[in-house]
Amino acid sequence: MIVDKINTTKGKENKQKPSQAPKAAKAATAPAADDKSSVQIGIEAKKEEDTAKWYSQVLTRSEMLDYYDVSGCYILRPWAYGIWQQVQGFLDGLIQESGVENCYFPMFVSGKALEREKDHVEGFAPEVAWVTKAGSSDLAEPIAIRPTSETVMYPAYAKWIQSHRDLPMRLNQWCNVVRWEFKHPQPFLRTREFLWQEGHTAFQTKEEADAEVIEILDYYRRVYEELLAVPVVPGRKSEKEKFAGGLYTTTVEAFVPVTGRAIQGATSHCLGQNFAKMFNIQINAENGENQYVWQNSWGLTTRVIGVMVMVHGDNKGLVLPPRVAQVQVVLVPCGITVKTTPEQKEAIIAYINGVQAELKAAGIRVKADLRDNYSPGYKFNHWEMRGVPVRLEVGPKDMQKEQVLSVRRDSGVKASMERAGLAASIHELLTTIQADMLAKATAERDEHLKVIEEWDDQEGFVTLLDNKNVIMAPWCTVPECEDTIKEKSTRAPVAADGTEQAADEKAPSMGAKSLCIPFKQPGEIKKGKKCFAGCGRDAVEYALFGRSY
C-alpha cells in the first residue's frame, strides 16, 4: 500500500532520506551520537544545557526506544512498552469498573465518512494520511488512516442505538492512530503514529454526558499524579483550542520545568449532539418522541511516557516512579574479587537469590543482576541510567550481618536494611519514593506558575514566559484576544547569520496560548475587572497561558 498526505504539496516530506532531512529535523530524529557505530553507553548531554540531545540520549541509551526509517515513527522497546502496560492496566481497570466496555474498530476510514462532518475534518485535514494504491493499482476511492475514530465508530452507533433502552453506550478501544502534519517530531511528545485509548460514549441527557467528562478527566489526573508522579492542572480548553466539532473540551495540563513548556496531558470532550445529528444517532425516548443522543469522546496517549521522562529524568538518565517501573528493585552482588573462593561466591549468590524470591513473593518487581562479565560499578551505572527506583547491594559483610545496602535512584540516599522484614521495608521505601517524586515535581511546577493581573505585572508577561514560567491571568476568553496574545509573545527563531526565520506553529518557540481555564481558580473575578491582555473587554475567568509542546 502507498500512503500519501491529504495535502500533496507537503507529501514530499515523507520521501526524504534521513540524510536529506533539514538539520533541525535530523537532530530531532536521529542524532549522530546515537548512531550504531557509537560505543557510548552513558549520558553525555546535560539536561539543562541541551535538553533535546539529552532527551534523545536518555531514551535510546536506556533502551526505551529506537529510531525508525520513517520520520516521526519510533520503535517502543520493552522498557518503554512495559510502562505503557502499567498505564493501560491502571486506567483500564478504572474505566471498566465504571461500566465502559472495550472493543476494536478498523483503522481505515472512507473519505465519504471522514468528510461528513465539516468542522471535524477541517480540524484534522492537514494531519490525515491517505492510502491511494494497492500494489500498482490505484484505489477507486482513497482510504484515510484514522487520526481519531469518531467517523469510524458513529455509523455503527447509529445502527446499534435505537431506543433509550440502548443507552448509555460506553465503548473504549486501545489502538494506534496516525497524524502526519508537523515538521519536528519528538519521541513520545509529537509523533506521527502513537498508541492511545479512545473512549466514545452516548447518553440520553446532557447531564449524564457532563458527569462522565469530569469522571474520565479525573481518571487521567490520577494516571499522571498517582502513577507517573507528575502534577497536572485540570481545566477547560478555550473555544479556540477545543476539539474540532465538539461542544467543549476538558484537559489535564502538565509542565516541563527544564524547558518552561506546558504539554497537554490528556483530554475529555463533550461532543454535544453535533455528531449525533451528522450520523443520525437518534433514540425513541420514553415519551415516544425521537431525540438525538449526547456524546463524549476522551483519550490518553503514549505521550505520558515522554512527559514522565522530561519531568523526572536527570543527567544520569531515567528516574522511574516505582508504580510504573518494570524493575522496581535490582540486586547487585559486590565484594567478589579474585581472592573470593567459589564457595564464598556461591554463598553470596544464594543469599541474593533468597532475597529476590522473598521480594518477588511479596509482589515487588525485582531483578538480580548476576552477570559475571561486568563490574559492580558498571552495573550501578547501567541500572541508574534505566531509572530503577532502588538498588540493593549485597557483599560478604552484608551477608554476615543479615542485611543489604539500599540506594535510592531519585535521591541517591543510601541506607542499610535488615534482611528480616525486608519485603515490608522495601514496600514502604517504594511508597516513599513515589510520594517524594510527586512532591518534588509539584514544588518545581508551583515555583514556575505565576499569577498576574495585568500584562506588565511582575517582570511582564513575555519576560515571565522567557524565564520558563506558565502564567495564570484574568482573561476575556475571546478567540481574537487569544490570537493577539500569541502574536505579542512570539519569539521568532534566529538563524546563525542573525536573521529571523519562520517558526513551526506547533514548535515550543512559538507564542503563548491558553492552556486551559483551570477548574481551581486563584481568585474571584470582581465586577469591572478587565482582561489582562489590554483588549478592554471584561475578564471572565483566570486562564493558564504558556508556551507548549
Side-chain angles (χ1 to χ4, degrees):
M1 292 183 175
I2 295 178
V3 179
D4 293 330
K5 288 177 69 270
I6 192 170
N7 186 340
T8 56
T9 61
K10 299 179 183 178
K12 296 179 181 178
E13 182 184 359
N14 188 42
K15 299 178 182 179
Q16 285 183 324
K17 295 180 180 179
S19 61
Q20 296 172 326
K23 290 183 179 179
K26 185 174 181 180
T29 55
D34 288 292
D35 186 75
K36 290 181 179 179
S37 62
S38 174
V39 295
Q40 298 293 339
I41 58 172
I43 310 299
E44 298 118 20
K46 301 299 182 184
K47 182 178 182 181
E48 62 278 6
E49 295 174 1
D50 190 342
T51 305
K53 188 174 182 180
W54 168 86
Y55 182 64
S56 178
Q57 288 184 356
V58 167
L59 293 179
T60 55
R61 297 181 186 180
S62 67
E63 298 181 347
M64 290 275 277
L65 63 71
D66 207 347
Y67 289 92
Y68 192 61
D69 63 359
V70 176
S71 177
C73 298
Y74 305 91
I75 301 167
L76 301 192
R77 302 185 67 175
W79 203 245
Y81 196 79
I83 294 171
W84 180 237
Q85 287 180 306
Q86 294 293 329
V87 171
Q88 276 185 302
F90 178 80
L91 181 58
D92 204 54
L94 291 175
I95 62 177
Q96 289 202 50
E97 185 178 350
S98 174
V100 178
E101 297 178 292
N102 283 328
C103 62
Y104 185 79
F105 280 74
M107 69 183 296
F108 297 116
V109 193
S110 70
K112 186 180 298 183
L114 191 63
E115 292 167 8
R116 286 177 71 173
E117 215 297 310
K118 182 180 178 182
D119 291 341
H120 183 66
V121 173
E122 287 180 351
F124 282 104
E127 301 176 346
V128 176
W130 293 86
V131 179
T132 59
K133 287 180 178 289
S136 59
S137 302
D138 291 336
L139 296 182
E141 179 186 354
I143 299 173
I145 301 175
R146 62 180 169 219
T148 181
S149 295
E150 282 77 7
T151 52
V152 179
M153 300 173 75
Y154 295 167
Y157 279 38
K159 290 192 298 182
W160 299 341
I161 298 173
Q162 299 296 324
S163 165
H164 66 275
R165 299 181 183 87
D166 299 321
L167 296 176
M169 179 170 286
R170 305 179 71 199
L171 301 182
N172 173 73
Q173 66 172 350
W174 295 90
C175 61
N176 65 336
V177 292
V178 173
R179 297 181 184 176
W180 205 260
E181 176 60 25
F182 49 78
K183 296 179 181 178
H184 306 302
Q186 293 176 287
F188 294 118
L189 304 180
R190 295 172 63 198
T191 63
R192 288 174 176 164
E193 180 192 15
F194 54 85
L195 303 179
W196 76 342
Q197 60 72 215
E198 52 176 325
H200 295 270
T201 56
F203 299 90
Q204 184 171 356
T205 67
K206 182 175 183 295
E207 290 73 21
E208 292 174 288
D210 288 339
E212 189 205 55
V213 167
I214 300 304
E215 174 193 2
I216 297 297
L217 192 73
D218 194 58
Y219 293 162
Y220 292 156
R221 178 197 63 78
R222 292 180 63 186
V223 167
Y224 274 96
E225 296 188 348
E226 295 181 18
L227 258 66
L228 303 172
V230 173
V232 291
V233 177
R236 187 181 76 253
K237 285 288 188 182
S238 68
E239 282 297 303
K240 184 178 178 63
E241 294 292 327
K242 75 176 184 180
F243 181 68
L247 182 62
Y248 64 87
T249 291
T250 64
T251 179
V252 287
E253 297 288 325
F255 177 71
V256 179
V258 71
T259 61
R261 314 296 186 195
I263 186 164
Q264 179 178 286
T267 49
S268 180
H269 316 282
C270 180
L271 304 179
Q273 295 178 308
N274 187 26
F275 285 89
K277 292 175 181 177
M278 292 304 304
F279 290 93
N280 196 31
I281 308 174
Q282 295 190 66
I283 60 167
N284 186 261
E286 294 94 326
N287 60 11
E289 295 182 1
N290 289 337
Q291 70 176 62
Y292 291 107
V293 299
W294 292 84
Q295 291 179 267
N296 295 335
S297 69
W298 28 273
L300 175 139
T301 81
T302 41
R303 171 179 283 187
V304 299
I305 300 174
V307 175
M308 177 200 70
V309 173
M310 291 288 282
V311 170
H312 297 306
D314 62 19
N315 289 330
K316 292 182 180 180
L318 296 174
V319 181
L320 296 180
R323 291 195 64 179
V324 295
Q326 285 305 283
V327 176
Q328 296 172 313
V329 177
V330 63
L331 285 153
V332 179
C334 302
I336 299 175
T337 69
V338 292
K339 296 181 179 180
T340 304
T341 67
E343 292 76 15
Q344 290 172 325
K345 180 178 178 181
E346 288 177 7
I348 292 173
I349 299 304
Y351 186 88
I352 287 176
N353 285 335
V355 171
Q356 178 178 233
E358 178 186 339
L359 297 183
K360 189 173 182 180
I364 296 166
R365 297 187 290 275
V366 59
K367 179 180 179 64
D369 189 345
L370 302 179
R371 296 175 292 175
D372 57 10
N373 56 332
Y374 291 108
S375 68
Y378 179 95
K379 294 176 183 179
F380 295 168
N381 292 332
H382 176 90
W383 296 110
E384 280 183 347
M385 184 166 62
R386 283 157 179 74
V388 174
V390 175
R391 182 175 76 243
L392 297 182
E393 302 173 14
V394 178
K397 293 182 179 179
D398 297 305
M399 190 172 62
Q400 292 170 5
K401 295 179 181 179
E402 285 287 313
Q403 66 179 28
V404 296
L405 179 66
S406 68
V407 184
R408 289 175 53 163
R409 174 64 182 90
D410 65 313
S411 65
V413 171
K414 298 181 179 182
S416 294
M417 304 179 77
E418 294 183 2
R419 172 74 185 270
L422 183 61
S425 299
I426 292 296
H427 271 302
E428 183 179 350
L429 179 59
L430 293 173
T431 300
T432 299
I433 291 171
Q434 185 82 26
D436 287 353
M437 289 181 67
L438 177 60
K440 178 184 176 184
T442 301
E444 289 179 333
R445 191 275 312 274
D446 291 348
E447 184 181 349
H448 290 274
L449 200 165
K450 308 297 182 181
V451 179
I452 65 173
E453 301 297 324
E454 297 181 0
W455 185 271
D456 293 324
D457 279 358
Q458 300 183 38
E459 300 102 307
F461 186 80
V462 177
T463 301
L464 287 172
L465 289 175
D466 291 344
N467 289 334
K468 299 183 178 181
N469 296 303
V470 288
I471 302 162
M472 200 103 69
W475 184 41
C476 63
T477 74
V478 175
E480 290 78 10
C481 184
E482 184 165 1
D483 291 336
T484 301
I485 292 168
K486 185 175 182 179
E487 291 171 7
K488 290 170 65 177
S489 58
T490 296
R491 289 189 291 104
V494 179
D497 60 4
T499 59
E500 289 189 356
Q501 295 182 323
D504 174 7
E505 67 176 10
K506 291 188 177 180
S509 60
M510 284 302 291
K513 67 177 183 180
S514 67
L515 305 170
C516 71
I517 298 168
F519 294 142
K520 185 178 180 181
Q521 292 277 296
E524 181 183 354
I525 299 291
K526 296 181 179 179
K527 186 176 181 180
K529 180 70 176 178
K530 297 298 180 182
C531 173
F532 85 104
C535 67
R537 303 181 185 93
D538 287 341
V540 177
E541 293 176 283
Y542 281 87
L544 184 65
F545 291 88
R547 296 190 173 107
S548 69
Y549 287 94

